[in-house]
């Protein structure tokens, strides 16, 4: 292609825009650059602001601590006012007591009137100005000044009058004055005058009674009337401070008056004194019951009704105490307490009714508590026959019960308490929740009454035994048929203990009662829910019967032990049948205890003791047959071993091996069986104990045996043990056998070694020591040579 053609073609193909178009393109590019620059500047400004916000410009300043104010403004105000009032009162007292006599009559009257009027009038002005606390302080000063005025008036005009009477009149006038002052319309903002008036009103009647010489009854009446006044104020006044103070006064004066009246009632010697005390107690009860009727809170109302009911019982019961014959005090009060239950039939507020019922329950509880000495003597008194067993049947049940305890007075009247309370619980208590509890309580009271009745009525001794046997059987029957499962079982167990001790007075009675108890509890054990308790009890009474039978037959204790062993055997057989019952463990424990008793009985006769231990071992071995009682086999082995030792001791056998070989042979057999089942078991575990049981005691005996037979046989046995250990590579036989063999040989060769030491020249030990040292040195040198050789080889290899 020619050159011209190419240049023309390239010029045509290259695009060169016109000037106007090129200018437009440049403007567009510049605009985009400006927009990008503005975006970057905006981003830079944001980053700078973020960095400045993250770095604090000024360090944080600590908060300025202000001083803590330890007292509030109202508190400071009240304290200042209180101190001011106290100081003014003290100044007035000093003036009255010290400077009063220096003034004339006119000056005294002028000062007295001016100060008192100012003290009572200033609070009105202060209240109008809104200074209520200051007004309270000044009013308190005025109240104190009136007391000082009353004292000053007596010192001047009434010095010869009775102090108690003047105090009664002055306190009454002050109470009226303060109450009138507090009830003024302009004094409505003052809270101190009315409580002060109520506090002063506690004194007039009391000091009037003291002044009139009314005695304890008059003082009690004054206190009770004051309590009634306080009760009315507490029920009608709405101001809280007055109501609280009135309640405190009512409870305080009422309690003092009621206690005084109660003491008068208990100390009354005739119907007149008892009637006066009853009137006071009735007044106290009326105040308490009226308060309970009007109080809005049920709990507080019930709390007031309870003492009200008790006061009524004390009032009527005090009159009955001096009217009825001696001994009927408790029944009289109990009758009054039961009469309170009439509140259940009367339309009374529920809190009042509940309080009266609780008061009746308290009286009945006290009546039952008064009969507790009878029950204690009847149940625990027969324990004294444990020291006087089989000395002869007593004349009656009371003598049998009170063998070592005093008998209470008036037992018949005291026993009425549990009987009546049981009837009340059974007949009057209703409700799904309270009825079962009431029946349980009634059952306990009836049981206590029946157990106590023979001694109270002085029935014959045999009749008392028969009655208690019947009661125990009835309790077991009730428990067996689930009428009273827990209560019946407990009563049967407790009553049977007292019955068993009571029967110790006579031999026939003891054998009969123990037989009946064992049979009763054994029969009750047929019920699964009773077996955990009755089965051990049956075994205990069977053990006691066995001991009593041996004593009755004039057997020696070691012969009685054979009869006692029947109980552990029976317990083992019974436990095998009770494998799934909760009674199994109690039965086994009771049987073990009976076996221990048999061992104790035979301990004074070694031949019989060996037999008893063997029989116990048989029982334990029979128990170990059961899969769940395999550990009993260890006990059986121990018992058999002890039996063998005791038998040998009874034969005067002094050979040690006779005691140790019966242990070693079974132990080695057990160890061999263990190794056959577990080849990894240690030889110390399998054979150590068995070998040590014979080798070590025999070694000790051989060292003190002057003859040659025992050391020779011991050495042979030790050598055989060592060879067997070496043959089977067992550590225990090897170590024990070798050690015993070495010690036995040293003991036998010791005389010859001593002789050899005397025959050998003195230089021989030193020579032997030198040879030993040379041998050690040569050995050390050979080891160093081997170390150097190894080092040279390693160096050559490197």
């Amino acid at each position: 292609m020619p050159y011209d053609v190419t240049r023309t073609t390239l010029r045509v193909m290259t695009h060169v825009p016109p000037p106007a178009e090129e200018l437009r393109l440049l403007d567009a590019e510049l605009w985009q650059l400006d927009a990008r620059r503005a975006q970057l500047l905006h981003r830079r400004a944001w980053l700078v602001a973020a960095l400045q916000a993250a770095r604090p410009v000024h360090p944080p300043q600590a908060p300025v601590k202000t001083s803590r104010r330890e007292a509030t403004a109202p508190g400071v105000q009240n304290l200042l006012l209180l101190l001011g009032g106290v100081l003014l009162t003290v100044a007035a007292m000093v003036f009255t007591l010290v400077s009063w006599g220096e003034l004339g009559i006119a000056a005294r009257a002028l000062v007295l009137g001016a100060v008192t009027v100012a003290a009572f009038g200033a609070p009105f002005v202060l209240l109008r100005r809104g200074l209520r606390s200051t007004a309270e302080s000044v009013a308190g000063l005025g109240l104190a000044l009136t007391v000082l005025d009353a004292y000053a008036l007596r010192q001047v005009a009434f010095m010869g009058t009775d102090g108690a009477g003047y105090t009664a009149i002055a306190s009454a006038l002050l109470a009226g004055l303060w109450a009138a002052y507090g009830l003024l319309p302009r004094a409505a903002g003052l809270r101190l005058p009315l409580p002060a008036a109520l506090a002063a009103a506690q004194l007039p009647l009391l000091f009037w009674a003291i002044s009139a010489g009314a005695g304890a009854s008059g003082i009690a009446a004054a206190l009770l009337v004051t309590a009634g006044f306080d009760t009315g104020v507490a029920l009608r006044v709405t101001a809280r401070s007055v109501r609280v103070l009135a309640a405190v006064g009512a409870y305080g004066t009422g309690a003092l008056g009621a206690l005084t009246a109660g003491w008068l009632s208990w100390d009354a010697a005739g119907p007149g004194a008892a009637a006066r005390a009853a009137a006071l107690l009735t007044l106290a009860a009326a105040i308490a019951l009226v308060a309970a009727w009007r109080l809005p809170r049920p709990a507080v109302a019930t709390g007031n009704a309870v003492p009200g009911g008790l006061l009524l019982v004390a009032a009527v019961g005090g009159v009955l105490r001096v009217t009825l014959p001696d001994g009927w005090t408790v029944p009289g009060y109990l009758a009054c307490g039961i009469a309170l239950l009439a509140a259940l039939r009367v339309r009374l507020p529920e809190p009042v009714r509940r309080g009266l019922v609780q008061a009746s329950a308290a009286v009945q509880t006290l009546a039952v508590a008064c009969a507790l000495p009878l029950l204690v003597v009847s149940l625990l008194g027969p324990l004294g026959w444990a020291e006087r067993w089989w000395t002869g049947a007593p004349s009656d049940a009371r003598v049998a019960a009170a063998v070592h305890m005093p008998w209470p007075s008036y037992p018949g009247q005291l026993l009425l308490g549990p009987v009546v309370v049981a009837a009340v619980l059974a007949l009057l208590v209703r409700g799904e929740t309270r009825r079962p509890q009431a029946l349980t309580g009634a059952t306990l009271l009836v049981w206590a009454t029946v157990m106590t009745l023979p001694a109270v009525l002085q029935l014959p001794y045999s009749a008392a035994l028969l009655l208690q046997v019947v009661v125990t059987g009835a309790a077991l029957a009730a428990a067996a048929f689930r009428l009273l499962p827990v209560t019946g079982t407990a009563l049967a167990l407790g009553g049977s203990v007292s019955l068993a001790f009571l029967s110790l007075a006579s031999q026939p009675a003891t054998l009969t009662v123990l037989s009946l108890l064992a049979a009763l509890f054994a029969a009750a054990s047929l019920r699964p829910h009773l077996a955990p308790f009755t089965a051990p009890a049956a075994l205990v009474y069977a053990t006691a019967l066995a001991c009593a039978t041996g004593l009755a037959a004039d057997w020696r204790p070691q012969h009685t032990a054979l009869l006692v062993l029947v109980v552990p055997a029976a317990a083992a057989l019974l436990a095998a049948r009770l494998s799934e019952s909760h009674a199994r463990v109690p039965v086994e424990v009771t049987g073990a205890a009976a076996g221990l008793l048999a061992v104790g009985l035979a301990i004074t006769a070694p031949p019989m003791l060996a037999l008893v231990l063997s029989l116990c071992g048989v029982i334990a071995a029979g128990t170990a047959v059961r899969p769940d009682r395999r550990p009993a086999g260890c006990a059986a082995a121990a018992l058999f071993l002890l039996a063998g030792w005791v038998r040998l001791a009874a034969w005067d056998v002094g050979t040690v091996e006779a005691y140790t070989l019966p242990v070693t042979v079974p132990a080695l057999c057990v160890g061999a069986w263990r190794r056959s089942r577990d080849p990894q078991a240690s030889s110390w575990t399998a054979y150590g104990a068995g070998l040590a049981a014979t080798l070590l005691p025999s070694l000790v005996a051989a060292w003190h045996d002057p003859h040659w037979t025992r050391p020779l046989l011991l050495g042979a046995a030790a050598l055989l043990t060592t060879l067997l250990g070496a043959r089977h590579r067992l550590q225990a036989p090897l170590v024990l056998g070798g050690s015993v063999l070495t010690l036995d040989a040293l003991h036998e060769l010791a005389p010859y070694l001593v002789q050899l030491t005397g025959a050998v020249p003195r230089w021989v030990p030193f020579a032997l020591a030198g040879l030993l040292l040379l041998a050690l040195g040569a050995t050390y040198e050979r080891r160093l040579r081997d170390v150097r050789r190894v080092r040279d080889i390693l160096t050559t290899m490197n």
Side-chain angles (χ1 to χ4, degrees):
M1 182 179 292
Y3 179 77
D4 296 335
V5 175
T6 303
R7 171 179 287 183
T8 305
T9 304
L10 291 174
R11 184 182 298 117
V12 174
M13 294 177 62
T14 301
H15 177 69
V16 179
E21 183 65 21
E22 185 175 0
L23 180 61
R24 188 182 63 80
L25 293 175
L26 290 176
D27 291 338
E29 291 291 339
L30 291 174
W31 181 82
Q32 291 181 358
L33 291 175
D34 292 338
R36 179 60 178 170
R37 185 174 182 275
Q39 183 180 3
L40 293 176
L41 290 175
H42 180 72
R43 180 62 179 174
R44 180 180 179 279
W46 184 86
L47 292 174
V48 169
L51 291 174
Q52 290 177 352
R55 183 175 62 251
V57 179
H58 301 286
Q61 298 179 356
V64 179
K65 294 183 178 180
T66 59
S67 60
R68 184 172 62 89
R69 298 183 178 181
E70 298 181 352
T72 61
V76 173
Q77 166 196 314
N78 294 332
L79 179 61
L80 293 176
L81 293 174
L82 178 61
L83 291 176
V86 171
L87 291 176
L88 289 175
T89 304
V90 171
M93 291 176 62
V94 172
F95 173 78
T96 303
L97 297 175
V98 177
S99 302
W100 182 262
E102 300 177 0
L103 299 177
I105 297 177
R108 295 174 185 176
L110 181 62
V111 172
L112 182 63
V115 175
T116 304
V117 171
F120 276 108
F124 300 147
V125 180
L126 295 173
L127 286 175
R128 284 200 306 269
R129 294 179 178 273
L131 302 176
R132 180 176 179 179
S133 299
T134 307
E136 290 284 358
S137 299
V138 177
L141 175 62
L143 298 178
L145 287 175
T146 55
V147 177
L148 295 175
D149 293 342
Y151 170 78
L153 184 62
R154 183 178 185 276
Q155 292 297 111
V156 173
F158 302 101
M159 179 62 71
T161 59
D162 180 35
Y166 182 81
T167 302
I169 297 173
S171 58
L173 293 176
L174 289 176
L177 175 63
W178 293 347
Y181 180 72
L183 293 175
L184 291 175
R186 299 178 60 184
L190 298 176
R191 292 176 295 182
L192 189 59
L194 291 180
L198 183 61
Q202 309 300 311
L203 304 178
L205 290 178
L206 177 61
F207 281 96
W208 173 78
I210 295 174
S211 176
S217 58
I219 293 175
L223 290 172
L224 292 175
V225 172
T226 304
F229 169 75
D230 292 336
T231 303
V233 172
L235 292 175
R236 298 183 63 87
V237 175
T238 58
R240 179 177 177 82
S241 59
V242 178
R243 189 170 66 251
V244 171
L245 184 61
V248 172
Y251 284 116
T253 55
L256 289 176
L259 290 176
T260 305
W263 174 74
L264 292 173
S265 176
W266 186 258
D267 195 56
R276 288 191 295 271
L280 295 174
L281 290 172
T282 304
L283 176 59
I287 295 172
L289 292 176
V290 169
W293 196 301
R294 298 290 303 274
L295 285 171
R297 295 183 179 180
V300 181
T302 302
N304 280 271
V306 171
L310 293 176
L311 290 172
L312 286 177
V313 172
V316 182
V319 176
L320 293 177
R321 184 184 64 83
V322 299
T323 304
L324 297 175
D326 293 340
W328 289 89
T329 300
V330 174
Y333 281 103
L334 178 60
C336 298
I338 295 176
L340 287 179
L341 296 177
L344 297 173
R345 304 295 182 182
V346 181
R347 298 185 60 181
L348 293 174
E350 183 60 28
V352 178
R353 182 185 294 111
R354 189 184 304 116
L356 293 177
V357 171
Q358 292 178 4
S360 175
V363 174
Q364 296 178 51
T365 303
L366 289 176
V368 173
C370 292
L372 282 180
L374 287 175
L375 181 63
V376 171
V377 175
S378 299
L379 294 182
L380 301 183
L383 298 180
W385 289 106
E387 299 177 354
R388 303 172 56 183
W389 50 278
W390 293 0
T391 55
S395 58
D396 54 53
R398 181 176 297 183
V399 176
V403 63
H404 73 298
M405 299 178 70
W407 185 253
S409 303
Y410 308 111
Q413 290 84 347
L414 293 178
L415 195 61
L416 289 176
V419 175
V420 175
V421 174
V424 170
L425 291 175
L427 299 177
L428 298 183
V429 178
R430 295 291 183 268
E432 296 180 357
T433 58
R434 296 182 179 179
R435 182 64 176 173
Q437 300 175 359
L439 291 178
T440 301
T443 303
L444 291 173
L445 293 175
V446 170
W447 175 82
T449 302
V450 175
M451 295 294 289
T452 310
L453 191 61
V456 172
L457 300 179
Q458 292 183 313
L459 297 179
Y461 174 68
S462 57
L465 293 176
L466 179 61
L467 182 60
Q468 292 194 13
V469 169
V470 172
V471 171
T472 303
L476 282 177
F481 291 101
R482 297 184 182 275
L483 298 177
L484 294 170
V486 178
T487 305
T489 305
L491 295 180
L493 292 174
S496 65
V497 174
S498 176
L499 175 60
F501 279 96
L502 184 64
S503 67
L504 292 178
S506 171
Q507 175 181 323
T510 301
L511 297 176
T512 303
V513 168
L514 291 178
S515 301
L516 291 175
L517 289 177
L520 284 175
F521 283 100
S525 300
L526 299 176
R527 296 287 183 174
H529 66 284
L530 295 182
F533 307 98
T534 56
L539 294 176
V540 169
Y541 289 121
T543 304
L545 178 62
C547 295
T549 303
L551 288 175
D554 291 332
W555 289 358
R556 293 183 177 180
Q558 58 267 29
H559 298 142
T560 305
L562 296 177
L563 187 60
V564 173
L565 282 179
V566 177
V567 177
L573 295 176
L574 181 60
R577 297 176 59 87
L578 298 174
S579 57
E580 300 297 331
S581 174
H582 295 290
R584 179 183 57 176
V585 175
V587 166
E588 291 176 343
V589 171
T590 308
L596 186 61
L597 176 61
V599 173
L601 291 173
I603 199 169
T604 57
M608 190 61 67
L609 177 61
L611 178 59
V612 171
L613 289 172
S614 299
L615 293 177
C616 290
V618 171
I619 296 172
T623 303
V625 174
R626 294 158 48 194
D628 56 340
R629 288 293 182 266
R630 297 300 187 197
C634 299
L639 289 171
F640 284 131
L641 179 62
L642 289 175
W645 286 356
V646 172
R647 184 72 264 179
L648 292 174
W651 287 338
D652 294 330
V653 175
T655 304
V656 176
E657 289 74 15
Y659 296 90
T660 58
L661 286 176
V663 179
T664 296
V665 174
L668 292 178
C669 294
V670 172
W673 175 76
R674 170 74 180 275
R675 289 274 298 179
S676 64
R677 299 194 62 180
D678 184 11
Q680 300 299 324
S682 172
S683 62
W684 289 102
T685 304
Y687 305 116
L691 293 174
T694 294
L695 292 178
L696 297 181
S698 298
L699 178 62
V700 174
W703 274 60
H704 298 84
D705 194 348
H707 303 287
W708 61 271
T709 307
R710 186 191 299 275
L712 179 60
L713 295 176
L714 178 61
L719 177 61
L720 179 61
T721 302
T722 304
L723 294 177
L724 289 175
R727 170 67 178 82
H728 296 284
R729 297 180 181 179
L730 298 177
Q731 189 179 33
L734 190 61
V735 172
L736 289 175
S739 301
V740 172
L741 179 60
T742 302
L743 294 175
D744 186 47
L746 288 176
H747 177 264
E748 294 302 314
L749 295 176
Y752 302 101
L753 292 177
V754 172
Q755 295 177 5
L756 180 62
T757 303
V760 173
R762 296 183 179 180
W763 57 268
V764 173
F766 297 99
L768 293 176
L771 292 176
L772 178 61
L773 293 176
L774 288 176
L776 292 175
T779 302
Y780 188 71
E781 183 181 6
R782 185 177 67 254
R783 291 181 178 177
L784 288 178
R785 185 190 60 192
D786 295 339
V787 171
R788 293 192 192 98
R789 185 180 300 170
V790 173
R791 185 188 61 186
D792 294 340
I793 293 173
L794 293 176
T795 302
T796 304
M797 292 175 63
N798 192 20

